[in-house]
Every structure is written in structure tokens, then in C-alpha cells.
Amino acid sequence: MPEILSPAFVYVAGALSVLIPWRVVRGVALLAVPLVALASFVTLPYANYGLVNIFDLRLGFLRIDPLSFVFALVFSLAAFLSLLFAFHLRDRLEQAASLLYAGAAIGAVFAADLLTLFIFWEGTALASVFLIWARRTEGAWHTGLRYLAIQIGSGLLLLAGLILRYRDTGSIAFEHMELDSLGTWLIFLAFGIKCAFPLLHNWLQDAYPASTLTGSVTLSAFTTKLAVYALARGFAGTESLIYIGAVMTIFPVFFAAIENNLRRVLAYSINNQIGFMVVGIGIGTPLALDGTVAHAFAHVIYKGLLFMSVGAVTYRTGTAKASELGGLWKSMPLTMAFCIVGSLSISAFPLFSGFVSKSLILSASADTGHFLVWLTLLAASVGVLEHSGIKIPYSMFFGHDRGLKVREAPLHMLIAMGIAAALCVGIGLWPQPLYGLLPYPVDFHPYTTDHVVTQLQLLFFAGLAFAVLIRYGLYPAELRSINLDFDWFYRRMLPGMTIVLAYQVQTGWRALVRAADYRLNRLLVAVYRTHGPEGILARTAPTGAMVFWIAVVLGITLALTYL
């Protein structure tokens, strides 16, 4: 492999395979792209490759170290699984966008400098929006525009930040930074937008459910996890991230509980799970950072599995609304089994991947004395079980039987879900291979009595609470509605304020026009009185008077001339 060749360029070249006219051959060629890209870096030793000097700037396209390697590895896996899940697609636009999106994310992970990061950062925005527009509805078009504006805005903040940082330090290296200048604050905010920080998060719930069924699987893997990587690389140990992450774990729980669209439920759970990772980055100890990376790895797989299971059900039934689903366990038993594996994984059930990754972050928060944060994470774990661990499989497979009779998911979807489920179980049973890939040496044993008993108690009481609420009709009913959280401000409040402001401007303009009209009429009347037929200046003056006034004017003129 030439030194300058990043795996991202393999995806760019591989996107040309969408030109193959035969669908099956094209699908196989697409599946080969992530495997070829993975082979291009997986055996390389940790080092900096692809170094280029441009205008006295040193750009690095391929920095391989433990942090970038793990993220690139799981991104490659996610790209393969999402393409396999979408094997039936005939839409070449979506296929090309999926490859370019995955390639841009991997290119950003390997970037050694902020300028290269910016190029691929914007590449993820430009490529991913077509996964929304590929749905080809008016709503998807407007959603895509909002999504693109926010993502491009994040990139512009990153660009402004790197320019200011270069002015201050003379370097564009992508390394650890302190929040001690305007440049680093802009970079931090750019990462926060893509990470869906609280109050900056609604692009996620807006865009992911509006994308195609297969597009949402791809979207769930890259954007927010790329931001997690960027924060871990640039701002590890920033204390404010601890509390930002803690808030992220809690607030989505309430919205996910009342949400009817199951894809939006999963979008909210992304906020929740990213919050755990952000807490780990904020703590910044080796154990916490290992937990962040491990949880990001596990999250990409089990969240992809849940999006695939909901997508498979939607593919067969035509809906992702909980109010329209239920009783599908007989029709889609394999999809049900895979969905349950994903639900147990995201709920951090022992023997599944989420348990062995989340335990690292919980232990790190307890070891560093962040007791309230630790309690918050425990409470958030209960919420995860409720809205993703129970609600999603219950609503689709075990809730009220709607009489839906459908076929099982297509074979390629089942294979993709089966691989993801096997990884969830395999990592949970044997976490050492994952621990061995983490940035720091791991001396941690998740399956201690304390860890297992504490987690099982939480899961048991959360499950019991759900059962009691369902039994007595206290659980929020699935209603056909649209729930707004902070996006209420720009969906409802800002349009309302615009209407009120427009009314006030219109009223003021009308008053101004009336006042001007009144003044103009008064002026015309005065002019008419002076210059009209009956006006004083229209009267015939005597000749003597005229001579008198001419003499006066002449005298004044002569006086002014000789003074």
C-alpha cells in the first residue's frame, strides 16, 4: 500500500462499484470494499503513515495507534454489516452514500492533524445526508436540509477553531488540548454538536428516523462515535464532560418512554449511551478511557443490531410505530431472538457485551470519587432497560397482537443480525480480546460477585417495575403523536415568534404609512392653499406693489454684493 493511501480512499474508489449493472454482483463488490480497506491497515504496526507537506503544513492521513485502530476496526465491521443488511437495495445513490460516509468516518479517525480531520469531518456530513434524502419524500428533504445545516455548521466551527489554534500555537496537530483559548472552545463545541450534547442533540432524533430503513443502520454507527473519538483524542480529562455526559444519560429516558416511533426510541437511546462514553472521557483515567473505547465498540454493534431488528420489522410490516405493532414473535422468531440479544446487550445484562464495557466506566466513576455521577449512571442504566431493553422487543413481538401476518426477514438481513448478535454474546462471554485492543493495559475483571449481583438487582427491579406499570395500566400508552423536546424551540416557538414579529412589523408599517399619508395630505392642502387657484400667490398683484418688491430684492442683492 502506498504510504499516502488512507483506507478512506479505498471506500472512495469502491463507491465506483455502484456502476456495476448486475445487482447481485454489485452487492458482492460493495461488501468487498470494507474487507479490502480493513486489510489495508489491520496488519500495519502503530506509526504515522501518509505524511504530506502542503504550504508549510504537515498533514497526516494515516496515524495508527491504539485509539484510532479500535475505532477504525469497529467502523469497518459496521460498514460491512450495514451493507450486508442492505444487500437487497437497488438504490445506487444510497449504496454510494453508505460507502463514502463510512470511508469519511474512517478517514477522520486516522487523521493526524486538524485540517485533515476537517476534510473528512465535512465528508461525513455531505455523504450521510443522502441516506436521508434517499427516502425521497418531502419530509425527508426538509429534514435532510436541517441535518446538513447543523453538520456543516459543526464543520465551520472546527475550521474556525483550527485557524485560531494555528495562529496561537503555529501547529495544526490533532492532539490533546486544553480549554484555554477561543480556538479550542470552538473545536470543543464542534465536537459537542456532532456528539449530540444536551440542547444540541435534536438533529439526531430528527434525522435518523427520517432516513431509509437501511440508512438508519448506517447512520447509527458513525457520526456520534466519531465525535466520541474526537473528544477522547482532544479533550480527555476535561471535567465538564463528566457532568455533560451524566445529563446525557438521564434526559433521553423520559422522552424514549413516551415515544411511539421505535426508531426515535433508538435515537434517544443513542444519546443515553453516548453519555456514558462522555463521562468516561471527562474522568480521563486509563480505566475510564478504556471503558469509553470498549463501550463505543460494543455500542456500534448492539445498537446496529437493534436498528436492524426494527428495520427488518418495518420492512415486513411497513411501520415502526409501537401503536401499530405487536404479536410478531410467531411470524418473525429469528428477528425476535436477535432483537432480544441486542436488548440484553444495551441493558448491560451479564454475559452480554454491554456489561463488560459499561462496568469499566462505572468502576472508574466510583474509583475517582464521583459518587453522584455513579448513582446517575446506575439510574440511567435502569432507564436503558426500560426503553430499549424491554419496550422495543415487547412492543414489536409480545405486546397486543395486531393480527399482523408477515414473513420472516430476508436471509441477508438475518445473516447480518446473526453476526452482530454473535459478537454481542462473544464479547460478553470472552471480553479479553476486546480488552487487549484498548489504549491502556486492562487489569479489570467484570465478572466479580459485586458487579454481577449489583447489575442483576438493578435489572430485576427495573423489569419488575415495568411489569407492574403494564399490569395496572400506568405505563405511558403508545399514542400516535409527535413528541418534541428542545426542538420545540425551533419548531414551534421560533415560528410563533416569527409570526408575532411579522404581525408587529406589519402593524407598525401600516401605522407609518397612515402617518406619512396624513402628513402628505396636510402638505398638499397647504400647497393648494398657497399655490392653488384661490391661493395667495395666484392672486393678481397691483403693478406698483410688484415694482416695490422688485426694488427691495434688488437693494438686498446690491447690499450683499458690496459688503
Side-chain angles (χ1 to χ4, degrees):
M1 183 183 76
E3 265 202 353
I4 198 172
L5 184 61
S6 166
F9 300 119
V10 177
Y11 284 88
V12 174
L16 296 175
S17 59
V18 300
L19 300 176
I20 299 174
W22 305 282
R23 183 178 65 83
V24 175
V25 177
R26 183 171 69 249
V28 173
L30 291 171
L31 286 175
V33 173
L35 299 179
V36 173
L38 177 62
S40 70
F41 72 85
V42 72
T43 59
L44 292 176
Y46 293 159
N48 287 337
Y49 303 89
L51 300 175
V52 180
N53 291 321
I54 300 178
F55 301 116
D56 296 328
L57 297 176
R58 189 166 182 81
L59 306 185
F61 287 90
L62 189 55
R63 173 176 55 189
I64 303 179
D65 60 16
L67 184 60
S68 62
F69 182 85
V70 176
F71 277 88
L73 178 63
V74 75
F75 282 179
S76 301
L77 179 60
F80 177 82
L81 291 177
S82 62
L83 289 168
L84 178 58
F85 184 79
F87 191 82
H88 64 284
L89 277 185
R90 298 179 181 272
D91 190 338
R92 301 185 186 191
L93 172 66
E94 184 176 346
Q95 290 173 328
S98 297
L99 278 180
L100 294 174
Y101 179 34
I106 292 174
V109 163
F110 281 131
D113 61 274
L114 291 171
L115 183 57
T116 304
L117 175 68
F118 164 75
I119 293 170
F120 289 114
W121 193 268
E122 293 292 69
T124 60
L126 294 173
S128 59
V129 72
F130 287 98
L131 299 177
I132 303 169
W133 286 339
R135 197 168 179 178
R136 292 179 171 83
T137 64
E138 184 179 357
W141 169 253
H142 291 295
T143 299
L145 289 177
R146 291 193 296 269
Y147 171 84
L148 185 62
I150 293 172
Q151 297 299 315
I152 293 296
S154 170
L156 292 177
L157 289 174
L158 175 58
L159 178 61
L162 77 87
I163 291 172
L164 292 176
R165 181 167 173 79
Y166 178 72
R167 185 196 65 181
D168 294 338
T169 66
S171 172
I172 59 170
F174 184 20
E175 56 193 9
H176 185 269
M177 294 170 278
E178 299 289 342
L179 291 175
D180 56 2
S181 67
L182 178 59
T184 53
W185 271 105
L186 291 176
I187 294 171
F188 182 79
L189 182 57
F191 293 171
I193 291 173
K194 228 176 184 69
C195 199
F197 280 180
L199 308 185
L200 303 174
H201 67 282
N202 286 116
W203 62 264
L204 201 159
Q205 288 75 37
D206 188 25
Y208 286 18
S211 66
T212 64
L213 297 178
T214 50
S216 62
V217 177
T218 310
L219 286 169
S220 70
F222 299 112
T223 297
T224 50
K225 266 63 71 182
L226 172 58
V228 168
Y229 165 81
L231 286 171
R233 172 74 69 185
F235 295 99
T238 301
E239 188 173 2
S240 59
L241 288 174
I242 300 174
Y243 308 104
I244 292 173
V247 173
M248 289 178 70
T249 64
I250 286 295
F251 84 85
V253 172
F254 305 103
F255 294 104
I258 62 174
E259 180 57 53
N260 186 37
N261 187 324
L262 296 181
R263 293 209 290 170
R264 280 179 63 88
V265 173
L266 289 176
Y268 274 116
S269 72
I270 290 177
N271 288 118
N272 168 275
Q273 294 296 289
I274 295 298
F276 284 89
M277 304 172 207
V278 173
V279 168
I281 296 170
I283 293 173
T285 63
L287 180 64
L289 292 175
D290 280 342
T292 292
V293 176
H295 202 52
F297 192 101
H299 176 264
V300 168
I301 298 170
Y302 63 63
K303 184 50 63 69
L305 175 56
L306 288 171
F307 267 104
M308 284 190 281
S309 62
V310 173
V313 168
T314 307
Y315 181 76
R316 288 305 193 198
T317 64
T319 182
K321 303 291 181 63
S323 59
E324 300 171 4
L325 294 171
L328 291 174
W329 65 274
K330 294 181 181 179
S331 301
M332 306 181 73
L334 293 177
T335 302
M336 174 203 70
F338 296 142
C339 181
I340 290 175
V341 171
S343 298
L344 293 174
S345 298
I346 196 173
S347 303
F349 200 91
L351 306 181
F352 293 87
S353 58
F355 176 76
V356 302
S357 59
K358 190 181 293 183
S359 296
L360 292 166
I361 300 174
L362 289 171
S363 295
S365 63
D367 292 345
T368 53
H370 294 90
F371 181 69
L372 292 179
V373 173
W374 178 77
L375 287 178
T376 301
L377 298 184
L378 288 182
S381 298
V382 174
V384 172
L385 174 68
E386 185 279 324
H387 64 69
S388 291
I390 298 178
K391 177 177 179 175
I392 289 178
Y394 178 83
S395 299
M396 293 194 298
F397 303 107
F398 305 110
H400 180 70
D401 194 337
R402 312 288 177 180
L404 299 172
K405 304 299 180 184
V406 298
R407 290 182 295 165
E408 180 58 275
L411 179 61
H412 62 90
M413 291 186 178
L414 292 175
I415 294 174
M417 288 187 285
I419 294 173
L423 288 169
C424 289
V425 175
I427 292 172
L429 293 175
W430 191 28
Q432 281 71 28
L434 175 59
Y435 286 175
L437 294 173
L438 300 179
Y440 300 97
V442 178
D443 183 17
F444 181 81
H445 303 283
Y447 290 107
T448 63
T449 302
D450 288 343
H451 289 148
V452 173
V453 170
T454 300
Q455 189 66 14
L456 287 177
Q457 286 177 336
L458 285 173
L459 297 173
F460 172 77
F461 285 110
L464 180 63
F466 181 86
V468 170
L469 292 174
I470 289 291
R471 172 65 179 80
Y472 291 100
L474 300 176
Y475 190 82
E478 288 82 14
L479 302 176
R480 298 177 181 177
S481 61
I482 297 177
N483 299 313
L484 302 179
D485 54 86
F486 188 74
D487 55 339
W488 177 86
F489 286 93
Y490 60 80
R491 286 178 180 268
R492 296 289 177 84
M493 189 188 78
L494 289 182
M497 290 177 60
T498 302
I499 293 173
V500 172
L501 181 61
Y503 175 78
Q504 296 297 330
V505 170
Q506 187 179 41
T507 302
W509 177 256
R510 288 175 179 173
L512 181 63
V513 169
R514 285 196 299 268
D517 186 61
Y518 173 77
R519 295 295 182 185
L520 181 60
N521 287 335
R522 292 285 302 272
L523 177 62
L524 291 175
V525 169
V527 171
Y528 183 83
R529 288 176 178 173
T530 305
H531 298 277
E534 302 298 330
I536 188 172
L537 295 181
R539 299 173 186 170
T540 301
T543 303
M546 294 177 62
V547 172
F548 172 75
W549 287 110
I550 290 173
V552 171
V553 172
L554 180 61
I556 294 174
T557 303
L558 291 173
L560 293 175
T561 301
Y562 291 103
L563 284 178

